[in-house]
Amino acid sequence: DIENVTVDEREAYVDFVRLLRLKLPEGKTVVVSVAGNPLGWTTGWQGSYDYAALADYCDYLMVMAYDEHYYGGPAGPVSSISYVEDSIKYAVSLVPKEKIVLGLPFYGRIWSDNGGYPNGYGITSTKIAQLVRDYCGSVQLDPVSQSTRAVITVNPDDPKPVIGGQALDAGTYTIWYESEASIKAKLELVNQYDIKGTGNWALGQETGNTWNYYKLWLNNCTFTDIGDTPERDYILDAYMKKLVKGCGDGRFLPNEPLTRAQAAALIVRLLKIKPELNPAYSFDDCKGGWAQAYIETARKYHIIVGIGDNLYDPDSPVTREAFAVMINHALLYQNNSGSRIYTDVTEAANPWSYNDIEALSSYGIIDGFSDGTFRPHDTMTRAEAVALITQIPAPLIPPAEQLITSAEQLGASIV
């Protein structure tokens, strides 16, 4: 009887895990799933797991922070924000945080508003999305629980959905589940408490768009506009490496043109050079701007030059050839291929960028298009720029002291 679990049973389970650890070959990982225990119960389902003792013999504890409301019980959130957070707090009070994995639900529960079947039956996130779509359900994020509540009405003439092998009667039904918004709220707790990560019940029950944001938010990269962007993983990589910060309003603007100021900042961060103000390298049109220190640092190392009259034009878009030149002024590659790679890049038409484009291409740093063109005059987007620099192997990025410090040596031209 789980409601009357004894101390002996708690200890017996710990001993079972201890023996399992002893019997397993070295190098195997032991993960123990434990019930969420937001109130620190010592009896019942939650009390049957001795977190601290189990942690001595396992690599990770998977805290199942769900079924706050359950089959046969009253309608309510499966995994409210307070339930999840209190479960984490209890776990970290007993177990090293690096051993704690937060279990989140990819399912919900459905209740009949008249008290009949289904009384909290579990259904997958994909089934919930189908029900909401087919029956024009209303969906609302509950601000207190940070869980999502959907209400559907099955009319007498409607096709009757089947739940748990039983067709539903006509009537109104309430579904509590975790949507994108509510999952994001719980993922923020992983970062807040600095625990190992998350797991889910159950893989395959999630909706198709879940992974568009899950990995980002789990790593505290909360840009709201990159979920469907092809360069999403590169942007996450750049964010984790502190190469990008976004636009300050929760967006990254992946399809916006990369500006000359942003390009300078991106390359200085890539090179791990500390940005510093230096009047000897200032441009008249960059003073007081957000990127002034980055631009002056980039000029000092001859990564960039101006457009004449001591101007840099920081807010203008960067073309593909200009960005290639900036990148190669940092990487210092020579064009040794002796062959022309692109149909639309020639020494005559692109005298100031030709060698840099060819050099980077021969080293596999940049690439053109399937039709054999490079399109040097096209604008570089923010997403494209990030994808390019994050794919540069770390060993190929020179330390600052190796950068050429003479514009004449570099062969720099106006960029």
Side-chain angles (χ1 to χ4, degrees), residues 5-66:
V5 64
T6 66
V7 172
D8 288 343
E9 290 168 328
R10 281 165 53 94
E11 292 178 351
Y13 185 58
V14 171
D15 197 48
F16 168 77
V17 175
R18 179 186 67 82
L19 292 172
L20 179 65
R21 166 62 80 185
L22 288 175
K23 297 293 184 181
L24 285 174
E26 189 174 341
K28 294 294 183 180
T29 299
V30 176
V31 183
V32 177
S33 294
V34 297
N37 196 351
L39 298 179
W41 289 295
T42 55
T43 60
W45 165 245
Q46 290 85 357
S48 63
Y49 298 96
D50 187 336
Y51 281 28
L54 289 169
D56 288 339
Y57 305 110
C58 70
D59 297 284
Y60 305 110
L61 286 185
M62 176 83 74
V63 179
M64 299 180 287
Y66 37 79

Side-chain angles (χ1 to χ4, degrees), residues 98-252:
E98 61 272 12
K99 282 195 170 190
I100 297 171
V101 178
L102 176 64
L104 294 176
F106 281 163
Y107 69 94
R109 294 190 177 276
I110 182 170
W111 283 265
S112 169
D113 284 11
N114 66 16
Y117 182 85
N119 190 18
Y121 195 89
I123 53 177
T124 68
S125 295
T126 51
K127 181 67 172 180
I128 294 167
Q130 180 186 351
L131 290 171
V132 169
R133 182 178 62 251
D134 291 350
Y135 296 92
C136 301
S138 63
V139 176
Q140 199 169 38
L141 180 70
D142 178 54
V144 176
S145 68
Q146 289 293 295
S147 287
T148 306
R149 179 176 178 265
V151 177
I152 65 169
T153 298
V154 180
N155 295 310
D157 296 335
D158 289 338
K160 303 304 184 285
V162 176
I163 302 295
Q166 181 175 332
L168 300 188
D169 295 329
T172 301
Y173 298 86
T174 296
I175 307 168
W176 283 93
Y177 68 106
E178 301 309 305
S179 64
E180 177 175 338
S182 59
I183 289 176
K184 284 178 175 178
K186 278 106 187 169
L187 291 177
E188 289 183 358
L189 294 174
V190 176
N191 296 302
Q192 181 180 334
Y193 288 91
D194 195 26
I195 59 177
K196 177 64 178 179
T198 69
N200 305 93
W201 185 269
L203 293 178
Q205 296 188 4
E206 72 276 11
T207 55
N209 70 333
T210 299
W211 303 113
N212 288 351
Y213 64 84
Y214 199 101
K215 184 177 179 182
L216 298 168
W217 284 69
L218 183 58
N219 288 282
N220 207 28
C221 182
T222 55
F223 299 134
T224 58
D225 58 350
I226 64 171
D228 297 324
T229 302
E231 297 88 356
R232 179 186 65 230
D233 288 345
Y234 295 118
I235 295 170
L236 171 60
D237 186 26
Y239 176 83
M240 298 297 290
K241 293 175 178 176
K242 303 186 185 304
L243 299 178
V244 297
K245 300 178 181 179
C247 299
D249 59 357
R251 297 180 299 163
F252 182 75

